[in-house]
Amino acid sequence: MNYLIAFLVGGFICVLVQILMDNTKLLPGRIMVILVCTGALLGALGVYEPFEKWAGAGATVPLLGFGNTLFEGVKKAIDSEGFIGLYKGGFSACAVGVSTALIFGYLASLIFKPKMK
């Protein structure tokens, strides 16, 4: 049942984003920023954590989950390190995901030889 809920929630988030892309003139980069900021805002309001526990990977994998991860990292770092945690927390919380995206993106560019248009 967990797989079905995760699939449906993740798919629903993707459908909402696709509708937003089709019906507005927003560029994909701006939509991505909106998703990350929305995830951070929902985390700050305390709404995202119960949603994440219910939806599992359907809520953590999309960019909304990335925004929430950034918020949680900043919150934890501020509690333990003070003001400097505002700058360090987001990096430490999502370093593995960002590093993995960079490494695999680089490997894909070596394999597929992209060309500038």
Side-chain angles (χ1 to χ4, degrees):
M1 191 64 176
N2 290 339
Y3 294 119
L4 180 63
I5 291 173
F7 176 76
L8 292 175
V9 169
F12 183 70
I13 292 170
C14 291
V15 165
L16 291 178
V17 171
Q18 189 65 48
I19 291 170
L20 188 63
M21 289 176 70
D22 291 343
N23 295 324
T24 66
K25 293 184 179 184
L26 290 173
L27 298 173
R30 290 185 180 177
I31 292 173
M32 290 170 60
V33 170
I34 289 170
L35 288 169
V36 172
C37 291
T38 302
L41 179 65
L42 291 174
L45 295 174
V47 175
Y48 205 82
E49 186 176 347
F51 174 64
E52 183 180 320
K53 286 182 181 177
W54 175 75
T60 58
V61 173
L63 285 173
L64 289 171
F66 182 69
N68 184 53
T69 300
L70 288 174
F71 168 75
E72 291 296 328
V74 169
K75 181 177 146 188
K76 184 192 290 186
I78 287 175
D79 290 343
S80 65
E81 299 180 35
F83 182 75
I84 195 72
L86 184 64
Y87 301 102
K88 292 172 58 177
F91 291 118
S92 61
C94 67
V96 173
V98 171
S99 299
T100 303
L102 288 172
I103 290 168
F104 283 106
Y106 178 71
L107 290 174
S109 73
L110 290 176
I111 294 168
F112 295 107
K113 307 282 188 215
K115 295 180 178 47
M116 297 295 291
K117 292 183 178 182

